[in-house]
Amino acid sequence: MKKVEHIGIVVKDLTNANALFEKLFNQSHYKLEEVESEGVSTSFFKVGDTKIELLQALQADSPIAKFIEKRGEGIHHIAFEVDDIQSEMERLQAEGFELIHTEAKDGADNKKICFLHPKSTNGVLIELCQEKRP
Ligand code: ZN
């Protein structure tokens, strides 16, 4: 793993949250993106080398909506950048970590992504992400 690529924060209302985080960081988000497959609308801010991803559920049955229902708004996941997501997934699986999906999926911000189940990582949802190469 190379670095913390971004931190994901779930919010109920992306428009309100964008306005708030713009004030907090004193800059606007650089990207808005819907990820249909995950049922989320996202925005991204860049603070130094680390990005902050805000996520709002698109549908009531999306995983983010369920997360908010159970735990409320707040930090949702920490994403680490990797060079080769497939080999990193195999390495972690061999180490006994539980992957939420067996194949890397398309995520926001031009990434291939995979999540580790929080029950195998002390309650922290961890995302692996690899920049998609053209
Ligand atoms: Zn993420």
Side-chain angles (χ1 to χ4, degrees), residues 1-117:
M1 294 192 193
K2 292 160 71 185
K3 63 168 194 177
V4 173
E5 212 280 336
H6 65 270
I7 295 169
I9 297 174
V10 294
V11 302
K12 286 180 183 162
D13 183 313
L14 194 59
T15 307
N16 287 345
N18 277 335
L20 184 88
F21 279 82
E22 277 174 19
K23 273 191 245 171
L24 180 68
F25 299 140
N26 198 25
Q27 56 168 300
S28 22
H29 58 274
Y30 67 91
K31 185 184 270 193
L32 279 178
E33 188 177 349
E34 286 194 0
V35 186
E36 289 290 340
S37 59
E38 292 287 301
V40 292
S41 187
T42 67
S43 71
F44 284 88
F45 293 82
K46 201 159 198 271
V47 183
D49 275 345
T50 306
K51 297 168 188 166
I52 301 295
E53 174 185 30
L54 302 182
L55 307 112
Q56 181 204 305
L58 285 173
Q59 304 99 25
D61 63 346
S62 84
I64 295 295
K66 287 181 192 140
F67 179 92
I68 285 201
E69 224 169 85
K70 274 210 291 207
R71 298 174 59 176
E73 294 181 299
I75 291 181
H76 178 256
H77 65 270
I78 301 177
F80 292 91
E81 186 178 315
V82 298
D83 276 329
D84 180 343
I85 196 164
Q86 205 55 49
S87 71
E88 199 59 11
M89 286 166 67
E90 284 160 21
R91 181 184 75 82
L92 291 168
Q93 212 158 18
E95 292 282 6
F97 293 96
E98 190 181 327
L99 306 182
I100 291 183
H101 15 261
T102 48
E103 302 228 340
K105 308 204 296 181
D106 288 331
D109 205 29
N110 194 42
K111 298 282 196 295
K112 283 275 179 206
I113 63 165
C114 172
F115 286 98
L116 304 188
H117 200 289

